[in-house]
Amino acid sequence: MNIRHLHYFQQLAQLQHFAKAANACHVTQPTLSAGISALEKSLGTELVVRGSQFVALTDAGQIMLQYAERMLQEQAALKQELSLFRGQLTGSLRIGIVPQSSIDIMPLIKLFNQAYPNISIKLSVMTNGQLIESLSLHKTDIGLGFDEQLTEANRRSFVFYPQRANQMALLSCDSVMDSASKSLCLADIGTRPLVLLSQNMQFRKYIDNAMAQAGSDFNLVLETDSLFHLIGAVKHGLGSAIVSRSIAESVSQLFEIPYQLLDGVSSGQTVFMTRKHSITPAMKAFMRQLES
């Protein structure tokens, strides 16, 4: 079994397009197709349903993809381990985060980059469910999300690093914001126009639950799955946003948008998550940084 052919297969499974997968692997399309055919021949089974273009993975292909992800991850871990003999850790680190958490991850990434400048970092934003799936499939190395939507198998397979409580805040350019008040409650929001993260986000579910328990209704003017656009909407006076305290603190410093802490809205436990197995040196180094 050729590792290069496994990489071809993985890229095809992710991109579901032969030409795009070939481009991602920096080979021609015939080379990629031949490599996947060679992989199928070595395994004695078809992995891809082919038509004039990619159709789907076979049942065997779905199983093979899980193993291919793990094998490629182990190869990456081996390369990182061997790079230590050359005196400098090299490779990559894939971090997945939910849009709202109690942690501002950028200072941690900056600290890690200073210690390991030859490790490239890929930071992806996803829902909590997508994060858990991505960790399970070895597509993400470290996750920052909520300790929810986890199966018993997940809890046996992951290591958790709980973080501080996820306090919330109201971010607003409203001129009547009472900066002297230490905190607000949901009743204080009243009919204030709100811009919120989309309902598929776990953070939004906490807000919805709190509003339902308080018997309050939203005056929702915009919802988005983009934190960038959420902040932009507040900056342009479209409405106020309920965000995590860490996000509010960072936005206040960067964009001079005031915020007040919000009481009466509870959220799940924010945690860093990693797998118990297939751990790369870069993953170990990042998690050591958390524990220091």
Short mmCIF file of all heavy atoms in Angstrom, two decimals, residues 189-221:
data_model
loop_
_atom_site.label_atom_id
_atom_site.label_comp_id
_atom_site.label_asym_id
_atom_site.label_seq_id
_atom_site.Cartn_x
_atom_site.Cartn_y
_atom_site.Cartn_z
N ILE A 189 -32.56 43.94 28.35
CA ILE A 189 -32.40 44.04 26.90
C ILE A 189 -33.68 44.53 26.25
O ILE A 189 -33.66 45.30 25.29
CB ILE A 189 -31.98 42.68 26.31
CG1 ILE A 189 -30.59 42.30 26.84
CG2 ILE A 189 -31.97 42.71 24.79
CD1 ILE A 189 -30.10 40.95 26.38
N GLY A 190 -34.83 44.11 26.82
CA GLY A 190 -36.13 44.57 26.32
C GLY A 190 -36.31 44.31 24.84
O GLY A 190 -36.08 43.21 24.36
N THR A 191 -36.68 45.36 24.12
CA THR A 191 -36.91 45.25 22.68
C THR A 191 -35.71 45.70 21.87
O THR A 191 -35.82 45.98 20.68
CB THR A 191 -38.15 46.08 22.27
OG1 THR A 191 -37.91 47.46 22.63
CG2 THR A 191 -39.40 45.58 22.97
N ARG A 192 -34.56 45.76 22.50
CA ARG A 192 -33.34 46.19 21.82
C ARG A 192 -33.08 45.31 20.59
O ARG A 192 -33.15 44.08 20.67
CB ARG A 192 -32.17 46.07 22.79
CG ARG A 192 -30.84 46.59 22.24
CD ARG A 192 -29.70 46.16 23.16
NE ARG A 192 -29.84 46.69 24.49
CZ ARG A 192 -29.23 47.79 24.92
NH1 ARG A 192 -28.45 48.47 24.11
NH2 ARG A 192 -29.40 48.19 26.17
N PRO A 193 -32.79 45.91 19.43
CA PRO A 193 -32.47 45.10 18.24
C PRO A 193 -31.24 44.23 18.51
O PRO A 193 -30.24 44.71 19.06
CB PRO A 193 -32.18 46.15 17.17
CG PRO A 193 -32.86 47.40 17.65
CD PRO A 193 -32.78 47.35 19.14
N LEU A 194 -31.31 42.97 18.12
CA LEU A 194 -30.22 42.04 18.37
C LEU A 194 -29.69 41.44 17.07
O LEU A 194 -30.45 41.17 16.12
CB LEU A 194 -30.68 40.90 19.28
CG LEU A 194 -31.01 41.25 20.74
CD1 LEU A 194 -31.50 40.02 21.46
CD2 LEU A 194 -29.79 41.84 21.45
N VAL A 195 -28.39 41.23 17.02
CA VAL A 195 -27.75 40.46 15.96
C VAL A 195 -27.10 39.26 16.65
O VAL A 195 -26.37 39.42 17.62
CB VAL A 195 -26.72 41.30 15.17
CG1 VAL A 195 -27.42 42.41 14.43
CG2 VAL A 195 -25.66 41.90 16.09
N LEU A 196 -27.39 38.07 16.17
CA LEU A 196 -26.96 36.85 16.86
C LEU A 196 -26.36 35.84 15.90
O LEU A 196 -26.60 35.90 14.68
CB LEU A 196 -28.15 36.20 17.59
CG LEU A 196 -28.86 37.04 18.66
CD1 LEU A 196 -30.10 36.30 19.15
CD2 LEU A 196 -27.91 37.34 19.82
N LEU A 197 -25.60 34.93 16.47
CA LEU A 197 -25.11 33.81 15.67
C LEU A 197 -26.27 32.92 15.24
O LEU A 197 -27.32 32.89 15.90
CB LEU A 197 -24.11 32.98 16.49
CG LEU A 197 -22.71 33.58 16.66
CD1 LEU A 197 -21.89 32.69 17.58
CD2 LEU A 197 -22.01 33.74 15.32
N SER A 198 -26.09 32.19 14.16
CA SER A 198 -27.15 31.35 13.60
C SER A 198 -27.56 30.24 14.57
O SER A 198 -26.80 29.85 15.45
CB SER A 198 -26.69 30.74 12.28
OG SER A 198 -26.35 31.74 11.35
N GLN A 199 -28.75 29.70 14.35
CA GLN A 199 -29.31 28.70 15.26
C GLN A 199 -28.57 27.38 15.21
O GLN A 199 -28.72 26.56 16.12
CB GLN A 199 -30.79 28.49 14.95
CG GLN A 199 -31.66 29.67 15.35
CD GLN A 199 -33.15 29.39 15.13
OE1 GLN A 199 -33.52 28.76 14.14
NE2 GLN A 199 -33.98 29.84 16.04
N ASN A 200 -27.78 27.13 14.18
CA ASN A 200 -27.03 25.87 14.14
C ASN A 200 -25.80 25.91 15.04
O ASN A 200 -25.13 24.90 15.23
CB ASN A 200 -26.61 25.55 12.70
CG ASN A 200 -25.64 26.57 12.13
OD1 ASN A 200 -25.81 27.77 12.34
ND2 ASN A 200 -24.64 26.12 11.41
N MET A 201 -25.50 27.07 15.62
CA MET A 201 -24.36 27.21 16.53
C MET A 201 -24.78 26.88 17.96
O MET A 201 -25.82 27.32 18.42
CB MET A 201 -23.80 28.64 16.47
CG MET A 201 -23.34 29.07 15.09
SD MET A 201 -21.92 28.08 14.54
CE MET A 201 -21.58 28.83 12.95
N GLN A 202 -23.92 26.11 18.64
CA GLN A 202 -24.23 25.70 20.01
C GLN A 202 -24.41 26.90 20.93
O GLN A 202 -25.28 26.92 21.80
CB GLN A 202 -23.12 24.80 20.55
CG GLN A 202 -23.39 24.20 21.92
CD GLN A 202 -24.56 23.24 21.92
OE1 GLN A 202 -24.82 22.58 20.92
NE2 GLN A 202 -25.28 23.17 23.03
N PHE A 203 -23.60 27.94 20.76
CA PHE A 203 -23.67 29.14 21.59
C PHE A 203 -25.05 29.78 21.50
O PHE A 203 -25.60 30.27 22.50
CB PHE A 203 -22.60 30.13 21.16
CG PHE A 203 -22.44 31.31 22.08
CD1 PHE A 203 -21.66 31.22 23.22
CD2 PHE A 203 -23.06 32.52 21.80
CE1 PHE A 203 -21.50 32.31 24.07
CE2 PHE A 203 -22.91 33.61 22.63
CZ PHE A 203 -22.12 33.50 23.77
N ARG A 204 -25.64 29.77 20.31
CA ARG A 204 -26.98 30.36 20.11
C ARG A 204 -28.02 29.58 20.89
O ARG A 204 -28.99 30.16 21.42
CB ARG A 204 -27.31 30.39 18.62
CG ARG A 204 -28.75 30.76 18.28
CD ARG A 204 -29.12 32.20 18.66
NE ARG A 204 -30.52 32.44 18.35
CZ ARG A 204 -30.95 32.78 17.13
NH1 ARG A 204 -30.09 32.94 16.13
NH2 ARG A 204 -32.23 32.97 16.91
N LYS A 205 -27.85 28.28 21.01
CA LYS A 205 -28.82 27.46 21.73
C LYS A 205 -28.90 27.88 23.20
O LYS A 205 -29.97 27.86 23.80
CB LYS A 205 -28.46 25.97 21.61
CG LYS A 205 -28.63 25.41 20.20
CD LYS A 205 -28.24 23.95 20.15
CE LYS A 205 -28.60 23.32 18.80
NZ LYS A 205 -27.91 23.94 17.67
N TYR A 206 -27.76 28.26 23.79
CA TYR A 206 -27.77 28.72 25.18
C TYR A 206 -28.59 30.00 25.32
O TYR A 206 -29.33 30.18 26.28
CB TYR A 206 -26.34 28.96 25.67
CG TYR A 206 -25.45 27.75 25.59
CD1 TYR A 206 -24.15 27.86 25.10
CD2 TYR A 206 -25.88 26.50 26.01
CE1 TYR A 206 -23.31 26.76 25.03
CE2 TYR A 206 -25.05 25.40 25.95
CZ TYR A 206 -23.78 25.53 25.45
OH TYR A 206 -22.95 24.44 25.39
N ILE A 207 -28.44 30.89 24.35
CA ILE A 207 -29.19 32.15 24.38
C ILE A 207 -30.68 31.88 24.21
O ILE A 207 -31.52 32.44 24.93
CB ILE A 207 -28.68 33.10 23.27
CG1 ILE A 207 -27.20 33.40 23.49
CG2 ILE A 207 -29.50 34.39 23.25
CD1 ILE A 207 -26.56 34.17 22.34
N ASP A 208 -31.03 31.02 23.26
CA ASP A 208 -32.44 30.68 23.03
C ASP A 208 -33.07 30.09 24.29
O ASP A 208 -34.19 30.44 24.68
CB ASP A 208 -32.57 29.68 21.87
CG ASP A 208 -32.27 30.32 20.52
OD1 ASP A 208 -32.18 31.56 20.46
OD2 ASP A 208 -32.12 29.58 19.54
N ASN A 209 -32.34 29.18 24.94
CA ASN A 209 -32.87 28.54 26.16
C ASN A 209 -33.08 29.57 27.27
O ASN A 209 -34.09 29.54 27.98
CB ASN A 209 -31.91 27.45 26.64
CG ASN A 209 -31.87 26.26 25.71
OD1 ASN A 209 -32.81 26.04 24.94
ND2 ASN A 209 -30.81 25.49 25.76
N ALA A 210 -32.13 30.48 27.43
CA ALA A 210 -32.25 31.50 28.47
C ALA A 210 -33.43 32.42 28.21
O ALA A 210 -34.17 32.79 29.13
CB ALA A 210 -30.96 32.30 28.57
N MET A 211 -33.61 32.82 26.96
CA MET A 211 -34.74 33.68 26.61
C MET A 211 -36.07 32.97 26.84
O MET A 211 -37.03 33.56 27.33
CB MET A 211 -34.63 34.10 25.14
CG MET A 211 -33.59 35.18 24.88
SD MET A 211 -34.11 36.77 25.56
CE MET A 211 -32.88 37.87 24.86
N ALA A 212 -36.12 31.68 26.50
CA ALA A 212 -37.35 30.92 26.70
C ALA A 212 -37.69 30.81 28.18
O ALA A 212 -38.84 30.96 28.60
CB ALA A 212 -37.21 29.53 26.08
N GLN A 213 -36.68 30.56 29.02
CA GLN A 213 -36.90 30.45 30.46
C GLN A 213 -37.32 31.79 31.07
O GLN A 213 -38.10 31.83 32.02
CB GLN A 213 -35.62 29.95 31.14
CG GLN A 213 -35.28 28.50 30.80
CD GLN A 213 -33.95 28.07 31.38
OE1 GLN A 213 -33.35 28.78 32.19
NE2 GLN A 213 -33.48 26.90 30.97
N ALA A 214 -36.80 32.87 30.50
CA ALA A 214 -37.16 34.20 31.01
C ALA A 214 -38.48 34.70 30.44
O ALA A 214 -38.99 35.73 30.87
CB ALA A 214 -36.05 35.19 30.68
N GLY A 215 -39.04 33.95 29.48
CA GLY A 215 -40.29 34.37 28.87
C GLY A 215 -40.14 35.58 27.99
O GLY A 215 -41.08 36.34 27.76
N SER A 216 -38.92 35.80 27.46
CA SER A 216 -38.64 36.97 26.64
C SER A 216 -38.62 36.59 25.16
O SER A 216 -38.39 35.44 24.80
CB SER A 216 -37.29 37.58 27.02
OG SER A 216 -37.27 37.92 28.40
N ASP A 217 -38.87 37.56 24.31
CA ASP A 217 -38.81 37.37 22.87
C ASP A 217 -37.66 38.19 22.30
O ASP A 217 -37.32 39.27 22.81
CB ASP A 217 -40.12 37.81 22.20
CG ASP A 217 -41.28 36.90 22.57
OD1 ASP A 217 -41.06 35.69 22.70
OD2 ASP A 217 -42.39 37.41 22.72
N PHE A 218 -37.07 37.68 21.22
CA PHE A 218 -36.02 38.41 20.54
C PHE A 218 -36.61 39.51 19.68
O PHE A 218 -37.70 39.37 19.11
CB PHE A 218 -35.24 37.49 19.59
CG PHE A 218 -34.37 36.49 20.28
CD1 PHE A 218 -34.46 35.14 19.97
CD2 PHE A 218 -33.43 36.89 21.22
CE1 PHE A 218 -33.64 34.22 20.57
CE2 PHE A 218 -32.60 35.97 21.82
CZ PHE A 218 -32.71 34.63 21.51
N ASN A 219 -35.89 40.60 19.55
CA ASN A 219 -36.10 41.54 18.45
C ASN A 219 -34.93 41.32 17.51
O ASN A 219 -33.97 42.09 17.50
CB ASN A 219 -36.15 42.98 18.97
CG ASN A 219 -36.36 43.98 17.85
OD1 ASN A 219 -36.63 43.62 16.70
ND2 ASN A 219 -36.19 45.25 18.16
N LEU A 220 -34.99 40.21 16.80
CA LEU A 220 -33.86 39.76 15.99
C LEU A 220 -33.87 40.45 14.63
O LEU A 220 -34.83 40.34 13.87
CB LEU A 220 -33.93 38.24 15.81
CG LEU A 220 -32.80 37.58 15.03
CD1 LEU A 220 -31.47 37.77 15.74
CD2 LEU A 220 -33.08 36.09 14.84
N VAL A 221 -32.77 41.15 14.32
CA VAL A 221 -32.69 41.84 13.03
C VAL A 221 -31.71 41.16 12.08
O VAL A 221 -31.77 41.35 10.87
CB VAL A 221 -32.29 43.33 13.22
CG1 VAL A 221 -33.34 44.05 14.02
CG2 VAL A 221 -30.92 43.45 13.89
#
